[in-house]
Amino acid sequence: MRLFSLLLLVFAALARGGPSPSGSVPPARRPQEPSPPPPSPPRRLPDHYGWCLLAERYAHKWELTYDYDAVMPYRARHRGQPDL
């Protein structure tokens, strides 16, 4: 009876894919590609709330813009006199 139990355990281990007699073989590894850089944070105006209040207050006379990449980012254009 003990021999039968031992054989049953051995066959069960082999059926499960138990340890191989030559030892464990590590899985093949692919070289990892470098991960892409993280996305840049969203661009924001330095004082967005103040900018909105100012633009709303003077919207009837001035068109106010902000350009992130310009040397002088704040721009204002008079609606009645565009050359001003």
Side-chain angles (χ1 to χ4, degrees), residues 32-67:
Q32 291 185 351
E33 296 179 13
S35 60
S40 59
R43 296 171 133 188
R44 296 182 186 216
L45 294 173
D47 182 14
H48 186 259
Y49 181 71
W51 174 258
C52 290
L53 290 177
L54 184 72
E56 189 175 315
R57 182 175 178 184
Y58 294 106
H60 64 284
K61 288 186 179 180
W62 294 92
E63 177 185 334
L64 304 174
T65 58
Y66 185 86
D67 184 11

